[in-house]
């Protein structure tokens, strides 16, 4: 689409187009991520879960760009393989440093535009370390990853979730999903 598509289509149609585009491109992104990780089922399943939670959050956070968030979710941990090879560690700092070049190569091969690639790589490059002001796209990805990474902690906290965990979420939808997942009988928080 051209840079005036939102003006021509209107906000609602433009968002509908974004959701459709994300759905169409998701299989290629997932396939590229799986191909890159090879036999590493744990990393592949983690990324798939993050994508699923991102989609759930996107259903509530309608202003976020689904095409961009799904790409970031699928590729957010793509730097782990190089971090382990170079540093013998998959810690957040190393994976954030190693992820953007790999993500850029994958997204370029899939034909994404440069501005899109820059934003996805920016998110991947600090996805464990929110800055003072973050985009909604970042916040959705961050919360989706936090939902997956906190599964064990949430499972152990049957009665109620620790306030420290709840306050770590950057979106209302992320917090609500955490509460619902922890207590399936509860209504929206």
């Amino acid at each position: 689409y051209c840079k005036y598509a939102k003006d021509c289509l209107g906000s609602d149609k433009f968002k509908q187009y974004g959701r459709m585009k994300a759905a169409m491109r998701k299989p290629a992104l997932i396939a590229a991520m799986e191909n890159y990780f090879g036999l590493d089922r744990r990393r592949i399943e983690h990324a798939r879960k993050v994508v699923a939670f991102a989609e759930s959050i996107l259903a509530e956070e309608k202003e976020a760009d689904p095409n961009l968030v799904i790409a970031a979710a699928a590729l957010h941990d793509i730097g782990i393989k190089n971090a382990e090879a170079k540093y013998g560690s998959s810690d957040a700092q190393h994976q954030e440093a190693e992820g953007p070049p790999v993500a850029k190569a994958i997204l370029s091969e899939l034909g994404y535009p440069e501005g899109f690639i820059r934003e996805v790589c920016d998110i991947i490059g600090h996805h464990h370390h929110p800055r003072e002001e973050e985009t909604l796209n970042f916040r959705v990805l961050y919360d989706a990853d936090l939902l997956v990474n906190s599964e064990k902690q949430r499972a152990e906290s049957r009665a109620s979730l620790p306030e420290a965990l709840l306050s770590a979420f950057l979106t209302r939808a992320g917090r609500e999903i955490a509460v619902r997942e922890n207590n399936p009988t509860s209504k929206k928080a």
Side-chain angles (χ1 to χ4, degrees):
Y1 62 86
C2 77
K3 63 182 178 178
Y4 302 107
K6 189 173 185 177
D7 296 331
C8 292
L9 294 174
S11 185
D12 289 341
K13 286 284 187 196
F14 187 72
K15 287 177 194 169
Q16 182 181 13
Y17 169 74
R19 287 189 296 274
M20 177 196 69
K21 190 172 170 183
M24 290 173 53
R25 290 188 135 187
K26 180 177 139 185
L29 284 163
I30 298 294
M33 175 271 297
E34 289 177 343
N35 185 52
Y36 185 78
F37 280 131
L39 299 176
D40 192 342
R41 298 304 313 162
R42 185 172 62 98
R43 299 274 164 58
I44 290 169
E45 288 310 310
H46 173 81
R48 285 178 160 279
K49 286 180 179 182
V50 172
V51 169
F53 275 123
E55 290 173 323
S56 295
I57 295 169
L58 283 165
E60 300 293 323
E61 301 292 344
K62 306 241 186 253
E63 296 301 313
D65 180 343
N67 194 32
L68 198 137
V69 171
I70 298 304
L75 302 176
H76 76 285
D77 278 347
I78 207 77
I80 286 176
K81 193 171 161 181
N82 286 351
E84 289 175 339
K86 282 185 179 180
Y87 308 105
S89 169
S90 64
D91 72 7
Q93 182 179 354
H94 290 127
Q95 69 173 276
E96 288 173 342
E98 296 299 321
V102 177
K104 181 177 182 176
I106 289 170
L107 294 170
S108 294
E109 185 158 319
L110 292 174
Y112 284 90
E114 189 58 39
F116 180 96
I117 294 170
R118 265 193 311 277
E119 187 171 353
V120 171
C121 288
D122 178 63
I123 290 171
I124 291 169
H126 73 283
H127 72 274
H128 288 291
H129 300 97
R131 299 173 186 151
E132 192 68 29
E133 293 292 321
E134 284 296 353
T135 65
L136 181 56
N137 296 326
F138 175 92
R139 294 189 321 251
V140 171
L141 175 274
Y142 181 87
D143 282 5
D145 195 30
L146 182 56
L147 283 162
V148 176
N149 289 335
S150 68
E151 282 178 332
K152 184 177 178 185
Q153 181 183 5
R154 288 185 291 114
E156 292 169 355
S157 303
R158 286 285 176 220
S160 66
L161 293 174
E163 187 55 40
L165 175 60
L166 286 175
S167 65
F169 286 96
L170 302 178
T171 66
R172 178 190 47 77
R175 276 187 297 282
E176 289 177 354
I177 291 168
V179 169
R180 277 195 311 266
E181 291 271 319
N182 193 59
N183 184 2
T185 61
S186 75
K187 302 278 186 211
K188 284 189 173 183

